[in-house]
Amino acid sequence: MKKKTLLLSVGMIVKNEEKKLRRCLECLKPLLQQVPSELIIVDTGSTDKTVEIAKEYTENVFYFEWCNDFSAARNFAMDKARGQWYFSMDADQYLDEDITELVNFFKSNKKDIANTAAIKIYNYTEKEDNTAYYEVFVLQLCKLSTGNRFQGAIHESLSIIKPIEYIATILHHDGYIYESDAEMMQKCNRNLDLLYKELEKDPHSINNLLYAADSTLNLEEKESFLLKAVSLSKAQPTHNFAKRAYFLTVLYYYTEKRYQDSLEKALEYLEVFPNTTLVHIDIYALILYSYLEMKNLEKVLEFCNQYWNALWLLKENKLNTEDFLCHTMFFGTTINMKEIGILEIKCCMETKQYDKAQEALDKALSFPMKDHTFELDKTLIHLLFDLLEEKDSYVILSKYYDTMKIHSIQSREQSDIFPLFQKMLEVYFLNHKEKQKEIGAEFNTIYRTYPEDTLAGILHIASEENEKDFHEKLQTLIENVSDWNTASSILYYYCICYHHPLPQEAFLISAERQIEILSSILCNKANNLFQCLEYAYQLNTQDNIPLLAWKTNLLQTSLQLIASLEEEAQLQLCKEYGSCMASYVMQLYQPHILNDDTIGILPSNHQFGYYYKKALSAKEQGDSVAYIRILHHALKQSPYTKKLVQLLINDFEKEQTHTNEFEVLAKQVMKSIKELLAEGKKQNALELLTKYLAICPNDVGAKKILEELEQSM
């Protein structure tokens, strides 16, 4: 049987990696199974179970005596390799589940053409957050026949030997996440010791100057390393790390809030490197952020444009891909692009450039919507509705509705952003009665495209001019509701405003959902309040507890806007709400619950209904003291009724004042009648007494005088 040609040797150097090694090796198994390969592990002095774990996966476990030289150790491992290609890995790296592109590379003639290959690495920066990373292509594969070797005692690397193949298979890396500050310090100090030695050998090494700047925690030393690297880069602009040196210096000044210094180095970079490169994307981003800190919005917008242009060149594959090997993009992820898009929109809004704001919104909303971008997408949606307040173009609404609808259909990853947009659209629609017909007209096309989309159907009938057709379409929508708990608030709004009957099922939803719907309908709009109250007052709730509950919740929600009503209307609302809540409580609970000892277990608004009923009974019995006392007690149980109770008490006091004034007047009239009788003026007394009894027919004393007077005449 012919032995398969060994295509690949995977090599690793390890030391005390028992926590991560098994994860790395398990993720390697699919590659080793699909490509004829071998696994080589070189230990440099482990004192834990690293070697024991390594031997579970390969017989090729070797020992290398550590000599403070990473390249020496890696080249030792490479010398053990028998494959055509060599893939260098670390224990804190692990392959993605999808290795299709990497496997296909070894199964195609690409492996024969290329001499080196770069793999995409996700460098994670936060523990347990798989969205916090930056990506870079790293040269970790080489054809052994080229004689390629690792160079550098620290931050070792392979030589770039063209042609280069870029493999998009992801190699995850969490080696920059430390368990403690002490662990980070230990690694930085180890690296620095090696870098100092390397810089003694070659003080003009741009690579090592940058690595030293990254490792030191001394800011003066960091700046010194960076400026020296920049000076060398300016003299050697073709050096692989020249552009990177400028970027790290610009970034350093920005993070230290030295925005003017950051700008100066960034603008110097643009002079040294006039042709757009991958690094320009990050430079433009730092420039626009620096100008933002300096409150120069016009410059922010100028460099936003430069940033997008550079990204477009990258998307069109018009930038030098070799920059990927020397530079890690900081501002090229979807999150970065959305953040800059949001910044651009806000600047346009602040400078009243609304057309440009819409263009920026177009860009920002064209990027993928994922779970990890939800908060940014949410901000974009809010900005969209802010823009609508300044720019009456409802094409925007239907356009983005269509965009997000398509995304929700096509996306494998379920996002909450489209439901959020729909909810905010409902609120906007309800809050802008004067614009509803225009909005409805824009959704005619959407509804024709997506006839199953309930919200689009609800919105589009707002443009219906014919009242009969409107009600017929509304009734069709109502009949198609399968679950009223999820039904649109706008359906309820239509029925309230246009007095269209709702089915009994519409009132069977939870009280919380009812309040949510009614709050969105009212949405601080007095016009909607008047329509809601007109609708509520005409509801016949007799023998219909669900409808009574609906009416009570409608009145309770309306109380939030009571200040927008005239005093008489305020009092009417209070009395109507109190009566409805009292009636609802009396019908809902068993009599043994409705007493002072047990009422405390009920919801506060139900307690108010109980006490209101009790207060009315006291008033009817003429016990004004008890009436006031019970209302105050009701207020203690339901603080939200403060305005309501105060109105009821004020009204009662006015009634009492009116009653007292009337009693004084009645005494004066009776005195006048008695004086007329004493003077013998019976006819005058009879006329006055008749008028008085017409006003106070229940005055027993006056009736007796009338009877005696009639007998004497």
Side-chain angles (χ1 to χ4, degrees), residues 254 259 263 285-301 303-304 339-340 342-344 346-347 350:
Y254 179 80
Y259 304 119
L263 276 174
L286 286 170
I287 291 175
L288 68 89
Y289 278 121
S290 293
Y291 276 127
L292 179 67
E293 295 293 341
M294 298 167 76
K295 312 298 182 188
N296 191 332
L297 300 189
E298 288 300 327
K299 282 293 185 181
V300 172
L301 293 174
F303 281 94
C304 278
E339 287 173 340
I340 290 176
I342 289 168
L343 170 61
E344 184 178 17
K346 288 181 176 179
C347 287
E350 194 166 336

Short mmCIF file of all heavy atoms in Angstrom, two decimals, residues 254 259 263 285-301 303-304 339-340 342-344 346-347 350:
data_model
loop_
_atom_site.label_atom_id
_atom_site.label_comp_id
_atom_site.label_asym_id
_atom_site.label_seq_id
_atom_site.Cartn_x
_atom_site.Cartn_y
_atom_site.Cartn_z
N TYR A 254 -3.24 59.82 21.33
CA TYR A 254 -4.70 59.93 21.48
C TYR A 254 -5.16 59.37 22.82
O TYR A 254 -5.96 59.99 23.53
CB TYR A 254 -5.42 59.22 20.33
CG TYR A 254 -6.92 59.29 20.47
CD1 TYR A 254 -7.62 60.43 20.08
CD2 TYR A 254 -7.64 58.23 21.03
CE1 TYR A 254 -8.99 60.52 20.25
CE2 TYR A 254 -9.01 58.31 21.21
CZ TYR A 254 -9.69 59.45 20.82
OH TYR A 254 -11.04 59.54 21.00
N TYR A 259 -4.29 65.38 22.11
CA TYR A 259 -4.94 65.35 20.80
C TYR A 259 -4.18 66.15 19.74
O TYR A 259 -4.14 65.75 18.58
CB TYR A 259 -6.39 65.83 20.93
CG TYR A 259 -7.18 65.04 21.94
CD1 TYR A 259 -7.72 65.64 23.06
CD2 TYR A 259 -7.34 63.66 21.78
CE1 TYR A 259 -8.42 64.91 24.00
CE2 TYR A 259 -8.04 62.91 22.72
CZ TYR A 259 -8.57 63.56 23.83
OH TYR A 259 -9.25 62.82 24.76
N LEU A 263 -2.73 64.60 16.32
CA LEU A 263 -3.03 65.15 14.99
C LEU A 263 -1.76 65.46 14.20
O LEU A 263 -1.67 65.17 13.00
CB LEU A 263 -3.87 66.41 15.12
CG LEU A 263 -5.38 66.22 15.27
CD1 LEU A 263 -6.06 67.56 15.54
CD2 LEU A 263 -5.97 65.58 14.01
N ALA A 285 -9.40 57.35 11.27
CA ALA A 285 -10.28 57.20 12.43
C ALA A 285 -9.75 57.99 13.62
O ALA A 285 -10.50 58.71 14.30
CB ALA A 285 -10.43 55.73 12.80
N LEU A 286 -8.45 57.89 13.88
CA LEU A 286 -7.87 58.62 15.01
C LEU A 286 -7.90 60.13 14.78
O LEU A 286 -8.08 60.91 15.72
CB LEU A 286 -6.43 58.15 15.24
CG LEU A 286 -6.31 56.76 15.88
CD1 LEU A 286 -4.88 56.27 15.85
CD2 LEU A 286 -6.85 56.79 17.31
N ILE A 287 -7.74 60.55 13.52
CA ILE A 287 -7.83 61.98 13.21
C ILE A 287 -9.22 62.51 13.51
O ILE A 287 -9.39 63.54 14.18
CB ILE A 287 -7.45 62.26 11.74
CG1 ILE A 287 -5.96 62.01 11.50
CG2 ILE A 287 -7.80 63.70 11.35
CD1 ILE A 287 -5.53 62.13 10.05
N LEU A 288 -10.24 61.79 13.04
CA LEU A 288 -11.61 62.30 13.24
C LEU A 288 -11.99 62.29 14.73
O LEU A 288 -12.69 63.19 15.21
CB LEU A 288 -12.61 61.52 12.38
CG LEU A 288 -12.92 60.05 12.67
CD1 LEU A 288 -14.06 59.90 13.66
CD2 LEU A 288 -13.28 59.33 11.37
N TYR A 289 -11.50 61.28 15.47
CA TYR A 289 -11.79 61.26 16.91
C TYR A 289 -11.05 62.39 17.64
O TYR A 289 -11.59 62.97 18.60
CB TYR A 289 -11.40 59.91 17.51
CG TYR A 289 -12.46 58.84 17.32
CD1 TYR A 289 -12.17 57.65 16.65
CD2 TYR A 289 -13.74 59.01 17.83
CE1 TYR A 289 -13.13 56.67 16.47
CE2 TYR A 289 -14.71 58.04 17.67
CZ TYR A 289 -14.41 56.86 16.98
OH TYR A 289 -15.37 55.90 16.82
N SER A 290 -9.84 62.71 17.18
CA SER A 290 -9.10 63.83 17.79
C SER A 290 -9.82 65.15 17.52
O SER A 290 -9.97 65.99 18.42
CB SER A 290 -7.68 63.89 17.24
OG SER A 290 -6.93 62.76 17.65
N TYR A 291 -10.27 65.33 16.28
CA TYR A 291 -11.02 66.56 15.97
C TYR A 291 -12.32 66.64 16.76
O TYR A 291 -12.77 67.73 17.12
CB TYR A 291 -11.29 66.64 14.47
CG TYR A 291 -10.15 67.23 13.67
CD1 TYR A 291 -9.62 66.55 12.57
CD2 TYR A 291 -9.62 68.47 13.99
CE1 TYR A 291 -8.56 67.09 11.83
CE2 TYR A 291 -8.56 69.02 13.26
CZ TYR A 291 -8.04 68.32 12.19
OH TYR A 291 -7.00 68.87 11.48
N LEU A 292 -12.92 65.49 17.02
CA LEU A 292 -14.14 65.48 17.83
C LEU A 292 -13.85 66.01 19.23
O LEU A 292 -14.62 66.82 19.77
CB LEU A 292 -14.71 64.06 17.92
CG LEU A 292 -15.98 63.90 18.75
CD1 LEU A 292 -17.15 64.62 18.08
CD2 LEU A 292 -16.31 62.43 18.96
N GLU A 293 -12.74 65.56 19.81
CA GLU A 293 -12.37 66.04 21.15
C GLU A 293 -12.08 67.53 21.13
O GLU A 293 -12.27 68.22 22.14
CB GLU A 293 -11.13 65.28 21.65
CG GLU A 293 -11.36 63.79 21.88
CD GLU A 293 -12.31 63.50 23.02
OE1 GLU A 293 -12.51 64.41 23.86
OE2 GLU A 293 -12.87 62.39 23.08
N MET A 294 -11.66 68.03 19.99
CA MET A 294 -11.33 69.46 19.87
C MET A 294 -12.52 70.27 19.36
O MET A 294 -12.39 71.45 19.03
CB MET A 294 -10.12 69.62 18.94
CG MET A 294 -8.87 68.92 19.49
SD MET A 294 -7.52 68.76 18.28
CE MET A 294 -6.90 70.44 18.26
N LYS A 295 -13.68 69.61 19.26
CA LYS A 295 -14.95 70.26 18.90
C LYS A 295 -14.96 70.85 17.48
O LYS A 295 -15.71 71.77 17.19
CB LYS A 295 -15.31 71.38 19.89
CG LYS A 295 -15.21 71.00 21.36
CD LYS A 295 -16.14 69.88 21.73
CE LYS A 295 -16.06 69.57 23.22
NZ LYS A 295 -16.83 68.36 23.59
N ASN A 296 -14.15 70.30 16.60
CA ASN A 296 -14.11 70.78 15.22
C ASN A 296 -14.94 69.81 14.36
O ASN A 296 -14.42 68.86 13.77
CB ASN A 296 -12.67 70.84 14.72
CG ASN A 296 -12.55 71.57 13.38
OD1 ASN A 296 -13.49 71.58 12.58
ND2 ASN A 296 -11.40 72.16 13.13
N LEU A 297 -16.24 70.05 14.32
CA LEU A 297 -17.15 69.09 13.68
C LEU A 297 -16.98 69.03 12.17
O LEU A 297 -17.16 67.96 11.56
CB LEU A 297 -18.60 69.45 14.04
CG LEU A 297 -18.95 69.44 15.53
CD1 LEU A 297 -20.45 69.58 15.72
CD2 LEU A 297 -18.43 68.18 16.21
N GLU A 298 -16.65 70.14 11.55
CA GLU A 298 -16.45 70.13 10.10
C GLU A 298 -15.28 69.21 9.73
O GLU A 298 -15.34 68.47 8.75
CB GLU A 298 -16.21 71.54 9.57
CG GLU A 298 -17.46 72.43 9.58
CD GLU A 298 -18.58 71.86 8.72
OE1 GLU A 298 -18.29 71.22 7.69
OE2 GLU A 298 -19.76 72.07 9.09
N LYS A 299 -14.21 69.27 10.51
CA LYS A 299 -13.06 68.40 10.27
C LYS A 299 -13.42 66.93 10.56
O LYS A 299 -12.93 66.02 9.89
CB LYS A 299 -11.87 68.84 11.13
CG LYS A 299 -11.13 70.04 10.59
CD LYS A 299 -10.42 69.69 9.26
CE LYS A 299 -9.59 70.83 8.75
NZ LYS A 299 -8.92 70.51 7.46
N VAL A 300 -14.24 66.72 11.56
CA VAL A 300 -14.70 65.35 11.85
C VAL A 300 -15.39 64.78 10.62
O VAL A 300 -15.10 63.65 10.18
CB VAL A 300 -15.68 65.34 13.06
CG1 VAL A 300 -16.30 63.94 13.21
CG2 VAL A 300 -14.95 65.71 14.34
N LEU A 301 -16.28 65.56 10.04
CA LEU A 301 -17.02 65.09 8.87
C LEU A 301 -16.09 64.89 7.66
O LEU A 301 -16.27 63.96 6.88
CB LEU A 301 -18.14 66.07 8.52
CG LEU A 301 -19.28 66.16 9.56
CD1 LEU A 301 -20.26 67.25 9.20
CD2 LEU A 301 -20.00 64.82 9.66
N PHE A 303 -12.95 63.95 7.70
CA PHE A 303 -12.17 62.72 7.83
C PHE A 303 -13.04 61.48 7.98
O PHE A 303 -12.56 60.37 7.76
CB PHE A 303 -11.15 62.86 8.96
CG PHE A 303 -9.95 63.65 8.52
CD1 PHE A 303 -9.87 65.02 8.74
CD2 PHE A 303 -8.92 63.03 7.83
CE1 PHE A 303 -8.78 65.75 8.30
CE2 PHE A 303 -7.82 63.75 7.38
CZ PHE A 303 -7.75 65.12 7.61
N CYS A 304 -14.30 61.67 8.31
CA CYS A 304 -15.25 60.55 8.20
C CYS A 304 -15.32 60.12 6.73
O CYS A 304 -15.30 58.92 6.41
CB CYS A 304 -16.65 60.96 8.68
SG CYS A 304 -16.88 60.89 10.47
N GLU A 339 -19.96 52.68 15.03
CA GLU A 339 -19.65 53.77 15.95
C GLU A 339 -19.29 55.04 15.20
O GLU A 339 -19.76 56.14 15.56
CB GLU A 339 -18.50 53.36 16.87
CG GLU A 339 -18.89 52.33 17.93
CD GLU A 339 -17.71 51.82 18.72
OE1 GLU A 339 -16.56 51.95 18.23
OE2 GLU A 339 -17.91 51.28 19.83
N ILE A 340 -18.49 54.91 14.17
CA ILE A 340 -18.11 56.10 13.38
C ILE A 340 -19.32 56.61 12.59
O ILE A 340 -19.50 57.82 12.43
CB ILE A 340 -16.91 55.78 12.47
CG1 ILE A 340 -15.66 55.60 13.34
CG2 ILE A 340 -16.69 56.88 11.43
CD1 ILE A 340 -14.42 55.18 12.59
N ILE A 342 -22.43 56.46 13.61
CA ILE A 342 -23.24 57.18 14.60
C ILE A 342 -22.65 58.56 14.86
O ILE A 342 -23.38 59.57 14.91
CB ILE A 342 -23.33 56.37 15.91
CG1 ILE A 342 -24.22 55.14 15.70
CG2 ILE A 342 -23.85 57.23 17.06
CD1 ILE A 342 -24.16 54.13 16.82
N LEU A 343 -21.33 58.61 15.00
CA LEU A 343 -20.64 59.89 15.21
C LEU A 343 -20.91 60.84 14.04
O LEU A 343 -21.21 62.03 14.24
CB LEU A 343 -19.15 59.63 15.38
CG LEU A 343 -18.22 60.84 15.37
CD1 LEU A 343 -18.56 61.77 16.51
CD2 LEU A 343 -16.77 60.38 15.49
N GLU A 344 -20.82 60.32 12.82
CA GLU A 344 -21.03 61.15 11.64
C GLU A 344 -22.46 61.69 11.60
O GLU A 344 -22.69 62.87 11.31
CB GLU A 344 -20.73 60.34 10.38
CG GLU A 344 -20.84 61.14 9.09
CD GLU A 344 -20.49 60.32 7.86
OE1 GLU A 344 -20.50 59.08 7.95
OE2 GLU A 344 -20.22 60.93 6.81
N LYS A 346 -24.52 62.18 14.11
CA LYS A 346 -24.70 63.18 15.17
C LYS A 346 -24.08 64.52 14.78
O LYS A 346 -24.66 65.58 15.04
CB LYS A 346 -24.10 62.67 16.48
CG LYS A 346 -24.91 61.56 17.13
CD LYS A 346 -24.27 61.11 18.45
CE LYS A 346 -25.13 60.06 19.14
NZ LYS A 346 -24.50 59.59 20.41
N CYS A 347 -22.90 64.47 14.17
CA CYS A 347 -22.25 65.71 13.72
C CYS A 347 -23.07 66.41 12.64
O CYS A 347 -23.21 67.64 12.65
CB CYS A 347 -20.84 65.42 13.21
SG CYS A 347 -19.65 65.01 14.51
N GLU A 350 -26.07 67.97 14.32
CA GLU A 350 -25.70 69.15 15.11
C GLU A 350 -25.40 70.34 14.22
O GLU A 350 -25.66 71.49 14.60
CB GLU A 350 -24.49 68.83 15.99
CG GLU A 350 -24.26 69.85 17.08
CD GLU A 350 -23.29 69.38 18.15
OE1 GLU A 350 -23.15 68.15 18.32
OE2 GLU A 350 -22.67 70.24 18.81
#
